[in-house]
Amino acid sequence: MTWLDIGALDDIPQRGARVVKTVQGCVAVFRTGDDRVFAMDDRCPHRGGPLSEGIVHGHAVTCPLHNWVFSLETGMAQGADEGAVATYPARVEGGRILIDAARLIRGRAA
Amino acid sequence: MRKKLVVIGAGMASGRVLEHVLAQDPDGWDITLFNAEPRGNYNRIMLSPVLSGEKTYDEIVTHDDDFYRQHDITCRFGESVVRIDRANKVVLSNDGGAPYDKLLIATGSAPFIIPVPGHDLPGVITYRDMDDTQAMIDASHRPGGTAVVIGGGLLGLEAAAGLTARGMAVTVIHLMGHLMERQLDPAAGYLLQKDLGARGLTVHCKGATKAILGKDRAEAVLLEDGTVYPADLVCMAVGIRPETRIATDAALEIGRGITVDDHMVTSDPDILAVGECVEHDGQLFGLVAPLYDQARVVAATLLGQDAAFRPVQTATKLKVTGVDLFSAGDFADGEGREDIVFRDPARGVYKRLVIEGDRLIGAVMYGDTADGSWFFGLIKDGTDIAAMRDTLIFGPAWQGGTGADPLAAVAALPPEAEICGCNGICKGTITAAIEGGAASLADIRAQTKASASCGTCTGLVEQVLASTLGDAFQMPAAQPVCACTDLTHEDVRRLIKARALKSMAALMQELGWKTSCGCHHCRPALNFYLLADWPLDYTDDAQSRFVNERNHANIQKDGTYSVVPRMWGGMTNPAELRAIADAADKYAIPAVKVTGGQRIDLLGVRKADLPHIWADLNKAGLVSGHAYSKGLRTVKTCVGTDFCRFGTQDSTGLGIKLEKRLWGSWTPHKVKLAVSGCPRNCAESTCKDIGIICVDSGYEVGVGGAAGMDLKETQRLAKVTTEAEAIDLTVAFVQLYREHAKYLDRPYKWLAKVGLDWVQAQIVEDPDNRAALIARFDLSQSVYQRDPWADRATPQAQADFAPLADFTREAAE
């Protein structure tokens, strides 16, 4: 696994998100209230809403378009909604955010 | 030839029998209904809300005169039946006889009267029917009246709470060691007693009544221990016994009640019995759910169908406003039984589950009963709870994932889960009705009977409606904010002020939020409440705002944004228009639209471009129009006296002054204004949240208009003679709305709750209060009236709107 440094933890507000652009589309990187980071596709499977713009609560995010709620840990839709978002390994080390590079820049092989 | 059915007693059970029979065989029976009370069927379990004044008698009538007339039922109300002549199959009253083919006895129960000295004095009553209730209401009219309720069970406490609500000083005398000992364990009984004490009720447990004192009428109650409590009214609520006199006289088989078999038939095959007067398999019945089951069986038996009565477990809730308790099943200690107990002393919450083997057999809850029906379902179904034992006490929201969606718990209930205990209605029946077109609580009550009896499941039924219909169903106001709390918006607003809660963390800690940091429902509301109440102390939390308010632009369905510069009072000039045109060119804006609020919308802007286009527009003097906010949107105007030959005042000028005063303020929902220069109303003021119409003699200020999902005309707040007064009223109204309304209630919805009269009393008739409101608004504006575009012209802000990293280029290399 190759870890890519994508920025500082403080570049993302607590209970907020930023996006990382890839050839596969945007990946949303979330920072939760307990300073964990999670990465998943920035696209709600329902109507394509940008999950990075949703309200982050606990380890979950609510899509800003129609209030679908996704677990940041598993990418699974919560409650009665059915759907899933692809997630990517991400971690914090020394105040820097690291994401598994293989998944992020796999467009290179394509 | 129609068969003759005679019914003795118009109670809840017999009313239900009639419904079933008429629904299935509308023309088969010639029905005569006797009732000793001079009225027809009403909802007896709703007497408590009548006593406390929360409902009127008319509201609890289940079958009115129309119903009896429509179904051709011969009503003999106020007529006591004296005898049943079984040989000739005739029922006899003082006014004559009524022959029957089938007879249904539904005489209910009679209250126990403790035979202590003085029990027959005037002023000593029981609590059983509408006459008793009316007697208590009449007694409570005397100022400073005192009452003693003997009996601290379900009925006694409801009577006591009702009398307290009517303004009497009430003492409850209870023989046992704690209140409601049949339904509650000592810990929950203690919490109940404490709560009732806080409401001004005196509770005396282990109290045995020795005598009721008084000369011509009740004056006091004397206990065995010598204590004396003054009492203008004594209410005996110590228990009930089946009313079997008529059956006894007719030589029917009697135990404690009238003995019936599984088909609800007495020892005479042509006589059936139903309700509290019957004994089935050695058991008596007092709660409404089994009575309704019996009614169904009676109807089936009358119609020649095969049905059998099987008593099921019932759960109890106390119908005292503000007291939340629930008990079900068996909660006595015993060998092989284990307890799971949860206490939250600060919130007055106590929950206890009793487990035997891997089955839940009993539950007692006080202070938070939201999960009651779920536990009750587990008890009834004998569900194996081994797998969820560790988190069982936290309720269904904790089983299988997070409780993020407030409706998830209800949505996750299986179709056979019981929602309405009184009527035995399960979730599947309700969802079937919704699929059949039912769209409101009233529809569900009409079609399924769910929530139509005691009403404590109303919240659950509404949640089923909401989870089934989605956005098409509007939840009523008295709901908790969300699944993170049991408090309503109104509770939260009150507590924020009363307990000086000035941060999100303090609020969630002190009010016992169930989640670590709320959810997308509560956080935006709490953020608004805190910033509205504590403008100087609270720091606005962007992460608790919906995307539009966080990014200061309206998100579109493709993830791009729209940008709307403010045009004060709808006025603009060539320089502004040129800047807008240049920006549209520079950022390749795909669509430019004139809005209904007299300004220009640039649609399809990419997020990363937002701070840049704002900076460009800022340079031409344009600021954010807040077209995305729960805050002041636009002030629409007509051209007024400057140009219009009909104009009576400078409507444009007033509109601009209002917009300059109000812009940047956050409100519970969006606020739109308009000022029309004459009653021709070209600015459409009469459908705005605040609409001013200028006339020769001054300004008519209207409030509470809307032209959205609902169409509402404004109501006249006041007419004033000067522009300054019109501005004062407008500002004070906005501040009053900010301080009191529920988040996401437009002014018209809030007005419907508080009433225009109240608002007028606050701001029109009370100049000091008006001035104070205006001062608080201006203080808030000193913090919040800032152009968000100017604030985000910095390189840092521009970076925040851009992606954190870009790997598309690397990939292309």
Side-chain angles (χ1 to χ4, degrees), chain B residues 336-400:
Chain B
R337 290 182 176 182
E338 284 178 71
D339 278 350
I340 301 176
V341 175
F342 171 86
R343 290 173 202 269
D344 182 345
R347 286 198 301 142
V349 170
Y350 169 80
K351 301 183 188 185
R352 176 162 161 250
L353 303 178
V354 182
I355 293 171
E356 196 170 51
D358 285 323
R359 307 268 184 274
L360 183 65
I361 61 164
V364 185
M365 306 163 78
Y366 190 89
D368 172 8
T369 58
D371 298 331
S373 70
W374 186 70
F375 288 127
F376 185 44
L378 296 181
I379 295 172
K380 273 205 312 189
D381 300 342
T383 310
D384 185 335
I385 51 93
M388 52 185 170
R389 187 183 179 111
D390 290 347
T391 55
L392 187 66
I393 193 115
F394 301 115
W398 284 74
Q399 315 308 325

Side-chain angles (χ1 to χ4, degrees), chain B residues 44 83 147 161 238 328 353 357 374 426 478 494 532 562 592 619 649 663 666:
Chain B
R44 204 177 287 273
R83 197 160 70 80
V238 291
L353 303 178
W374 186 70
C426 60
R494 188 168 36 74
S562 74
V592 181
K619 279 182 201 138
Q649 310 280 358
W663 74 273
W666 299 103

Side-chain angles (χ1 to χ4, degrees), chain B residues 157 177-180 184-199 203 318 322-325 341-352 364-368:
Chain B
L157 292 181
H178 69 270
L179 295 171
M180 289 182 67
L184 298 181
D185 60 8
Y190 160 79
L191 282 173
L192 175 60
Q193 184 169 344
K194 196 173 142 198
D195 255 10
L196 294 175
R199 288 152 176 267
V203 177
L318 182 68
V323 173
D324 240 358
L325 69 79
V341 175
F342 171 86
R343 290 173 202 269
D344 182 345
R347 286 198 301 142
V349 170
Y350 169 80
K351 301 183 188 185
R352 176 162 161 250
V364 185
M365 306 163 78
Y366 190 89
D368 172 8

Side-chain angles (χ1 to χ4, degrees), chain A residues 15-17 28-34 36-40 51 55-62 69-76 78 85-88, chain B residues 402:
Chain A
R15 289 182 287 276
V29 183
F30 296 90
R31 176 182 175 187
T32 57
D34 54 3
R36 299 271 308 274
V37 293
F38 297 93
M40 60 165 65
L51 295 173
I55 288 179
V56 178
H57 45 98
H59 288 178
V61 63
T62 301
V69 179
F70 294 90
S71 160
L72 295 176
E73 290 166 0
T74 65
M76 298 299 290
Q78 307 291 291
V85 188
T87 59
Y88 305 95
Chain B
T402 79

Side-chain angles (χ1 to χ4, degrees), chain B residues 269-293:
Chain B
D270 289 324
I271 302 181
L272 292 80
V274 71
E276 291 182 329
C277 62
V278 308
E279 175 178 333
H280 173 269
D281 201 13
Q283 214 182 331
L284 302 177
F285 302 89
L287 295 170
V288 72
L291 303 195
Y292 283 168
D293 277 347

Side-chain angles (χ1 to χ4, degrees), chain A residues 15 19 21 53 56 62, chain B residues 520 523 543 607 804-805 807:
Chain A
R15 289 182 287 276
V19 297
K21 282 176 87 170
E53 299 293 358
V56 178
T62 301
Chain B
H520 62 277
R523 285 236 307 276
Q543 300 309 323
K607 183 183 176 190
L804 187 58
F807 293 107

